[in-house]
Amino acid sequence: MSNEPAKAVVVFAALQLANEQRGAYGLRYNDFTRYRKHCANRTHRLRSTLKMTHGKGRDFKKLPPITTENIKDLYLQLLLLESERAWAYSQDLTTQSLHPSNSTHASTLRHSATGRFRRAVHWATQLLSHAQALHASKRLSSEHLLQVYVYTLILNGRLLRSKDDFEEALAQLGVARGVLDVLADKASTSRAQALYVLFGDEIGPEIRYCAHEMGRERAYNVDVIVKEVTKSRREGLVPGCEELIQDLGTESGATEGRKRLAELNWEGQPVPVRNPELVDVLLKVQEAEARLDGEKKEKSSKKGVAAYDAILSALSDAEEVARKLAEAQQISGSSSSAATVGPGGRDIPFVHAYIVYQLLSRRIQRDLLLVSALLTTSKAGQTVLKKAGQNKAEQVDSRLYPAVVKLLDTVLQSLDQMRTLSIVDDSPDLASAVEARISFTKARRCLFLSRCYAPVKKYPEALTLIQHANIHIRETLSSLSLSASDPIKTNKPAYFPLDPTNLKDLEAELSADSHAFKRAWFTYNGGAVKEVDEQKFEKPLFFNIALNYVELDMDRLAARAGKQVEQQSKVEAAPAVAPQPAKQVVVPKAKVEEVRSETPEPAAPARSGLSSLLGGWWGRS
C-alpha cells in the first residue's frame, strides 16, 4: 500500500450554485445591477477567505500559484462568481443601451457590454480547465464536470449570438441542450432533474432564434435541431463526452436511495415541475400525504387531524413558492418556459393553480372530517325535537350547531375559491361538480343553522331556513344533471363524496325537522308570529314622548273612550243618599280666595323734566 495521503474530493455543482445565486439576488426579476453587486461582494469575501488578496497599502503581495494539488472548491466558486459578475455587468450595459435617454452613446455601451461578456467567457474557460484537471486526478465527478462544460458552452453560445454568428452559436447552444437532456434523464434526484430542465428551457428560445436567422425550415422544432447538432458537434465541443455519460450511470447507482418526486397528473396528463424550488416543497407534500394515508389506516381521528395539519402546511409553502415564480415570470415577461411546456400550455401559472386546488381540497376534507367527528361524538345525527319527553341530560349541547355552522362556512369559502380557479373553469364537468357541492353545503348549513334557532323559540326563522335548504337541494340536483361524470369522485383525493343517497337523507332530515318545528311552534303560542304576554305590558313609544312635553288628562281620555270615571260616579250618587241643600250652598274658603279679585297697587307719581331723567339713570325714586 502507498503511503500517499488521500486527496480530498471536490464537490462543485456549477449549475446549482449559479441557479441559487441568480434566484436569490435579483435575476428572478431581471435586476442585473443588484446581482452584479452581490457577485462583487461575494468574490471579495471569497478572496479574503482564501487569503488571495494583494496586501494593503503600497506593499504588494504576490499570490501563490494555484495547482491541482492545492485547489479547493472555494476557488472554483470564486471563478464562477467572477464569470457571473462579468456576465451580469454586460447584461446591465446592454439594457442601458436600449434606454431612450442613452441613445447618444448606445454604441459605447454595447461595446463595453461585449468586453464584459468576453471577460465572463475568460473566467468560465479558466474554470473549465481547472475542472478538467480535477477530473483527471479523480477529484471531481463526471456529472459536475459536465455541468461546467454546459455552463461554458452556454456563455460561449450567447456571446456568439450577440455577435450575429448564428451558426456557431447554434452549435454551442445545441450541444449544451443535448448534454442537459442526458443529465436530466440520468439524474439521481428529482431536484437535479428539474435543475437541468430549467436550464434547458432557458436556452430553448435562443436555439430557435438562431435556427430562424439561419433560414431553417422547421426552426420551431427545437428537439429535432438539438439532435442534429449533437450528433455532429458534441465530441468536438465536449471531448470524451461518451465516457463521461457512461460514468453517470455508475455514479447515480450510489444515490438510488434518494427520494424522487412521484409523477403529478391532472386529467390524465402529467403536470410539469420545472423548478428545483418547487421540487423541494412538493417532496414535503408527498411525505405528508404518505403520513396521512398511514393515519387513515389506523382510523384515529386525533392523529388524522394532525396529519391534515402537516399536509396543509406543506401545501401552503408550495403555493407560496409557485405564486412567487408565477409573479416573477409575469413581471419579467419571460417566455422561456413556454417553449417546452406540455400540451395545453401547462406552465408555472398552471402549476400554481394545481397546487391551490390541492390545498383547497385538503382543507375541505379536513373540515368535513371535523364536522363528522363532532356529529358522531355528540350523537347529533338525530333531528331536533324528535322525542317530546326527553330529559335535559339528553339535550344537544348548545355549542354544537354553531360550531358545525362555522366549519361549513369555511367549506363554502374554500369551494367558492376553488370555483374561481382557471383549471376548474376550463373543465365543465368539474365546474358542475363544484357548484353541486356548493349548493349541497349551503343546504346543510341552513339545516344546522335552523337547529340553532329552535332552542330559543324562534320557529319562523327556523322554518324559513328549512325552505331555503330545500331550494339549495333542487339546485344541487340541477347541477349534477349537467355532467355525465363526477371528476371529484375519480380524481385523487376524493375529498367530497356526494351520492343521491346523501341528498335523500338530507331531504328526510329537512322534512322531519320542518314537521317538528311546526308542532313545537303551535304548542308554544299557537303559531302566532309575535309573542303576547298579558302580564308584561309595555307602553308604546308615543306615550313616553308625549309625557315629556304635555300633561296628559287620563280621565278625559277614559271618558272619551266610553269608560266611567270613579269621581263622576261619586258625584252622581251623593244627592240620592243625603240630599242636604244647605251643605251644597256652603262654599269653601279656598274657593272664595280663588274668586276674590286682587287689590290694585298704587301707581307711582308721574315725573317730568330733567330730574326724572337723571333719577332713571341712577335708580333714585
Side-chain angles (χ1 to χ4, degrees), residues 474-578:
R474 290 196 292 268
E475 292 177 355
T476 304
L477 292 173
S478 63
S479 298
L480 289 175
S481 63
L482 295 177
S483 59
S485 61
D486 193 353
I488 295 180
K489 288 183 181 180
T490 58
N491 290 345
K492 185 181 179 181
Y495 55 91
F496 199 148
L498 183 60
D499 298 325
T501 55
N502 301 125
L503 294 174
K504 291 181 181 179
D505 295 341
L506 184 58
E507 286 180 346
E509 290 184 9
L510 290 172
S511 178
D513 283 6
S514 177
H515 184 65
F517 292 156
K518 289 177 182 178
R519 291 177 63 90
W521 188 12
F522 185 77
T523 305
Y524 175 61
N525 59 2
V529 178
K530 295 184 179 179
E531 298 181 1
V532 179
D533 192 357
E534 297 180 356
Q535 297 178 358
K536 185 179 179 182
F537 177 75
E538 295 181 358
K539 283 185 177 182
L541 187 60
F542 169 76
F543 290 102
N544 295 334
I545 297 175
L547 285 174
N548 292 333
Y549 299 94
V550 182
E551 184 179 355
L552 189 62
D553 191 358
M554 298 300 297
D555 296 338
R556 184 169 175 270
L557 287 177
R560 295 195 62 179
K563 296 182 179 180
Q564 294 182 357
V565 187
E566 295 180 0
Q567 294 181 359
Q568 293 180 359
S569 61
K570 290 180 181 179
V571 171
E572 293 177 357
V577 175

Side-chain angles (χ1 to χ4, degrees), residues 3 27 31 45 55 61-62 81 90 92 185 269 293-294 323 347 370 372 392 394 411 417 472 503 510 571 587 610:
N3 296 327
L27 279 200
D31 191 354
R45 289 195 298 269
K61 181 181 178 182
K62 187 177 180 181
L81 289 173
S90 69
D92 191 13
D185 293 336
Q269 296 181 359
D293 295 337
R323 176 172 49 82
D347 49 358
L370 290 175
S372 63
K392 291 184 178 179
E394 298 176 356
V411 172
Q417 187 178 355
H472 291 313
L503 294 174
L510 290 172
V571 171
V587 180
L610 184 60

Side-chain angles (χ1 to χ4, degrees), residues 246-377:
Q246 291 177 1
D247 293 340
L248 289 177
T250 58
E251 293 176 358
S252 61
T255 58
E256 286 181 356
R258 297 183 181 180
K259 297 180 180 179
R260 294 184 63 88
L261 181 64
E263 186 178 5
L264 306 178
N265 291 315
W266 177 259
E267 295 182 347
Q269 296 181 359
V271 177
V273 182
R274 299 177 176 271
N275 195 285
E277 299 177 21
L278 272 179
V279 172
D280 294 338
V281 292
L282 289 177
L283 280 173
K284 295 180 181 179
V285 173
Q286 183 175 326
E287 294 176 0
E289 286 180 349
R291 195 180 307 118
L292 178 62
D293 295 337
E295 297 296 341
K296 284 183 178 180
K297 293 179 181 179
E298 295 181 4
K299 296 182 179 180
S300 177
S301 60
K302 294 183 179 180
K303 292 183 179 180
V305 173
Y308 274 108
D309 293 339
I311 192 173
L312 288 176
S313 177
L315 282 170
S316 299
D317 296 340
E319 188 274 334
E320 184 179 0
V321 172
R323 176 172 49 82
K324 289 182 179 180
L325 292 174
E327 290 176 355
Q329 180 179 348
Q330 184 178 4
I331 292 173
S332 62
S334 175
S335 60
S336 60
S337 61
T340 54
V341 295
R346 297 191 168 184
D347 49 358
I348 289 295
F350 177 85
V351 176
H352 176 249
Y354 172 80
I355 294 175
V356 172
Y357 180 84
Q358 296 295 325
L359 173 62
L360 294 174
S361 63
R362 291 298 185 179
R363 188 181 298 169
I364 293 170
Q365 195 174 13
R366 191 270 312 270
D367 294 337
L368 292 177
L369 176 64
L370 290 175
V371 170
S372 63
L374 284 175
L375 296 178
T376 302
T377 54

Side-chain angles (χ1 to χ4, degrees), residues 394-409:
E394 298 176 356
Q395 292 285 349
V396 179
D397 189 358
S398 60
R399 299 170 297 176
L400 172 65
Y401 294 130
V404 173
V405 170
K406 286 185 179 180
L407 288 173
L408 292 177
D409 285 336

